[in-house]
Amino acid sequence: MVNGQISPANIVIDSSRNNDPILLDSDKQVNVEEIETYADKWVPRKASLYASVVPGLGQIYNRKYWKLPLVYGGLIALGVTANFYDNEHDKFRSELFQLLQDDSFQPPSGANEEQLRSAVDDARRERDFYLIMTGVFYLLQILDAHIDAHLKEFDLNPDLKVVIDPVVERNQFARKSFNAGLSLKLKF
């Protein structure tokens, strides 16, 4: 006994599944030209790599030069602040060790042992916080470069406008009563 399935007459078999090459009607050579899109010029992965190797290089790759002072200013400010608290930590810690070793030592800050321990802890906490914030800022500039490279292909409408106009309205219910203000108009 043989089992099989017979296709109904109204079903058309898909002819695109064959592996025969597609033949053109003309004998001319067909030239296929690749069009370089705007998005191919800025690769997000490359922008992220550049920004991770050298901070700000991803912004240069994306041609957002105005962001460089923000990146370097933020990193320098956070680094200087972390360095300040590191110096404070070292100073208070050395004063505390000298006070513990020599009871006659008078710290230049004029603090006692408990105050010095508190100052050491506070300075360490602040130093660690600003070091973490420096790392977060470093990661944010990498993320900014990556997102900016993605948004290069986003097409903005040139007719998009935000206009602020002065407005003077007359109150209909009261004589000689006017309202002045500003209106915000969005035009698409």
Side-chain angles (χ1 to χ4, degrees):
M1 179 169 177
V2 177
N3 292 328
Q5 182 176 358
I6 299 174
S7 299
N10 60 356
I11 294 181
V12 179
I13 298 174
D14 186 9
S15 62
S16 66
R17 298 260 178 189
N18 62 10
N19 293 329
D20 297 336
I22 298 175
L23 300 175
L24 300 173
D25 292 338
S26 66
D27 293 339
K28 296 179 183 177
Q29 288 282 347
V30 177
N31 292 331
V32 178
E33 293 183 24
E34 286 190 30
I35 300 172
E36 185 177 351
T37 64
Y38 194 67
D40 290 340
K41 293 180 183 178
W42 283 276
V43 181
R45 237 184 269 157
K46 192 183 284 189
S48 300
L49 177 67
Y50 288 165
S52 63
V53 171
V54 177
L57 197 58
Q59 284 75 14
I60 292 173
Y61 173 75
N62 290 331
R63 295 186 182 167
K64 298 286 183 163
Y65 304 111
W66 64 272
K67 292 183 181 181
L68 282 178
L70 299 175
V71 169
Y72 284 108
L75 288 174
I76 289 171
L78 289 168
V80 165
T81 306
N83 186 39
F84 169 76
Y85 283 113
D86 186 46
N87 291 339
E88 290 290 309
H89 174 260
D90 291 343
K91 180 181 80 170
F92 290 133
R93 195 171 119 190
S94 67
E95 287 181 12
L96 178 63
F97 285 155
Q98 283 182 339
L99 182 67
L100 292 175
Q101 290 174 356
D102 184 13
D103 291 337
S104 64
F105 175 72
Q106 195 58 262
S109 61
N112 60 20
E113 180 184 344
E114 185 179 326
Q115 290 171 335
L116 283 175
R117 286 184 190 275
S118 177
V120 167
D121 289 341
D122 290 344
R124 181 178 43 233
R125 186 179 322 109
E126 291 296 322
R127 178 200 61 194
D128 293 347
F129 173 75
Y130 282 105
L131 286 174
I132 290 170
M133 286 297 109
T134 304
V136 167
F137 192 82
Y138 175 76
L139 293 175
L140 282 176
Q141 66 91 24
I142 294 172
L143 186 65
D144 172 67
H146 184 82
I147 291 171
D148 199 26
H150 265 296
L151 291 179
K152 287 287 189 179
E153 66 188 59
F154 184 72
D155 188 24
L156 290 177
N157 185 356
D159 297 330
L160 181 65
K161 294 179 184 174
V162 177
V163 180
I164 299 176
D165 288 330
V167 175
V168 177
E169 294 178 346
R170 182 174 178 203
N171 191 347
Q172 297 175 358
F173 300 110
R175 289 186 185 195
K176 298 182 183 180
S177 176
F178 293 96
N179 294 329
L182 295 174
S183 71
L184 181 67
K185 296 179 182 178
L186 299 174
K187 296 180 182 179
F188 296 97

